[in-house]
Amino acid sequence: MAYFDAPDESVWIGYLRLQLRFPLARSKKDKRKQIHKLRDRFRSRYNLSIAEVGYLENHKRSVLGAVMISNDQ
C-alpha cells in the first residue's frame, strides 16, 4: 500500500509555555480553580489543548503547556 500526500496538505503546529504565579492562592485547590477557568476560556476561544505540566505540588506557581494544530497558517 502506497501513501500519497494530498495536494492541499499542510500542517501547522503552535505551542505556548505559560509560567504563572498565584500570590493569593492558599491551597492547591485555589490554584487549580483559577487554572480551570483560564483553561476553559482558552479552549473555547482559541480551540487549544492545555495541560498543567510544572509545579504540580506548589500552590503558588504553575507551568501550563498549550498546543494548537491546524492546516491554516
Side-chain angles (χ1 to χ4, degrees):
M1 176 180 241
Y3 292 99
F4 299 99
D5 292 336
D8 59 347
E9 179 183 344
S10 64
V11 177
W12 293 91
I13 299 173
Y15 64 91
L16 175 67
R17 182 180 178 270
L18 293 170
Q19 195 168 35
L20 304 172
R21 291 180 187 232
F22 301 93
L24 301 178
R26 292 185 293 201
S27 67
K28 289 188 286 183
K29 186 176 179 180
D30 288 342
K31 176 184 88 165
R32 295 213 169 106
K33 188 186 296 185
Q34 294 301 317
I35 288 173
H36 186 70
K37 284 199 274 188
L38 183 67
R39 185 173 42 195
D40 285 346
R41 183 178 293 176
F42 275 114
R43 279 182 181 168
S44 66
R45 210 176 270 182
Y46 302 110
N47 196 22
L48 294 174
S49 296
I50 299 177
E52 186 178 6
V53 295
Y55 295 110
L56 299 176
E57 298 300 321
N58 186 333
H59 68 278
K60 295 286 187 184
R61 298 181 73 183
S62 180
V63 177
L64 301 179
V67 178
M68 174 190 278
I69 186 165
S70 176
N71 65 344
D72 187 17
Q73 206 174 12

